[in-house]
Amino acid sequence: MKVPALRFNQSGKTLYMAKMTAREIIASCHTAEWDPAIGWDLAKQGYQRMPVESHYQAIGHFLAQDPQAFMPTSALLSAREADMGVLPFTEHASISDVSFGELEIPPARQLTIVDYQHRWRGLIYAIDSLGAKSLESFEIPVTIIANMTRPEEIEQFYLINSKQKRIDTDLALALLQTLAPATDEAKLRNFVGSGKVFRIRSTRLTFALAARAGGPWAGRIRQPHDLPQTGATISITSFVDSLAPLVSPRSPMAGLSDDEVLDVIDTFWQGVLSFLPNALTSPHEYQIQRTVGTFALHLVLAGRTRPPTLSVYERCVAKGAVTAANVVSVLSNASAYLTEGFWETKGPANVYVGSSGYRELARLIRRAL
């Protein structure tokens, strides 16, 4: 397939401004969506939210019902030339540093849709499900970036969508974590904002914890998609933010490596859940691993309280090490706050809502220690 295109460069990237028909863009493009079957393996995972059926069907109905349908917004596509080879371009004319010619997309070649996911699916729905075959020749403006890496694709998707608040925070954090190995710290800080710098490390910790095959949090952190997730009790965003007191420079755990922090979290929760054995098998009947329990107990583990009291982490270190047995021993004086009755869905813990509620519950538990 050959398409007419203008070629130019921007900041070292080769861009093609072109047009393709709906059938061409359907046949030669694909999306990179989050796949629940892949789970937490971010090296293989897609970076776009799962499509919203009602959204793309509404686009499909609009296009199918309007004989003069007008949709001038261009699709942003990536050729991934570093991985798949350079697309042939035949130049016919040039003005200054802009060339006009034909860009060839081989029959087996697939371009990645960075931004056009729902409109692309709307076209498929209109043509294949609603029978609007005349739309096959509908012409669509496209911008094809020739030499963009996968991390750069993700960065563009993040910037386009998160800045317009079109993706939920869970997926934005998944993108942040996917970008992290290939992105410098300053750029990551710019993504999260000056008030949320802790999210860089706590997101890394959350995804590493979620990917562990066993432990108290296996299957409890919800993937960023809307399909049912049996056993999941807390969102990525909530868990990430609950770790703020653990990764704070003022935390007694501040000097630990990521693996050491993860081991402490696992061990701490093994000790906590030994007080509530039924919560392990029926997690949705209790709030212990939901937002209120996670935020409050991470403050108990290693957060700062007013007035200052020793954290569970500090008390366990004083006993020699953070072990499940030492966690149980330290928490035994606060066992009134670690009963199944206290943490059941409509139990007393239910009143400790919001950040002030989490802090108050943490203060009460720490005082009981």
Side-chain angles (χ1 to χ4, degrees), residues 25-79:
I25 201 171
I26 289 170
S28 62
C29 296
H30 71 100
T31 55
E33 293 157 2
W34 184 277
D35 184 351
I38 294 175
W40 301 99
D41 186 348
L42 295 180
K44 299 177 181 177
Q45 187 57 270
Y47 58 82
Q48 297 172 333
R49 64 198 184 283
M50 295 183 70
V52 179
E53 187 175 280
S54 60
H55 185 179
Y56 71 73
Q57 287 186 357
I59 294 172
H61 281 288
F62 162 73
L63 292 169
Q65 293 171 7
D66 188 349
Q68 299 296 321
F70 183 58
M71 195 166 61
T73 309
S74 67
L76 180 60
L77 312 176
S78 173

Side-chain angles (χ1 to χ4, degrees), residues 317-330:
V317 170
K319 286 177 171 286
V322 180
T323 64
N326 280 343
V327 170
V328 170
S329 174
V330 168

Side-chain angles (χ1 to χ4, degrees), residues 95-149:
I95 300 176
S96 185
D97 58 352
V98 178
S99 301
F100 172 74
E102 286 185 317
L103 181 67
E104 183 177 348
I105 303 172
R109 185 69 169 264
Q110 288 281 291
L111 306 177
T112 302
I113 295 174
V114 180
D115 188 48
Y116 209 72
Q117 176 194 30
H118 281 86
R119 282 162 287 180
W120 178 74
R121 287 188 175 274
L123 288 164
I124 295 172
Y125 180 71
I127 294 169
D128 295 344
S129 298
L130 301 180
K133 300 299 182 183
S134 63
L135 282 173
E136 291 187 344
S137 58
F138 185 68
E139 294 183 334
I140 298 160
V142 300
T143 300
I144 301 170
I145 306 178
N147 51 339
M148 186 163 62
T149 64

Side-chain angles (χ1 to χ4, degrees), residues 166-184:
R166 287 165 51 193
I167 57 174
D168 61 57
T169 310
D170 279 4
L171 181 54
L173 289 172
L175 301 182
L176 176 73
Q177 178 57 20
T178 310
L179 282 171
T183 307
D184 62 63

Side-chain angles (χ1 to χ4, degrees), residues 210-231:
R212 288 191 167 189
W217 287 100
R220 295 290 183 260
I221 301 172
R222 192 175 298 115
Q223 293 186 45
H225 63 77
D226 296 328
L227 298 178
Q229 299 182 55
T230 303

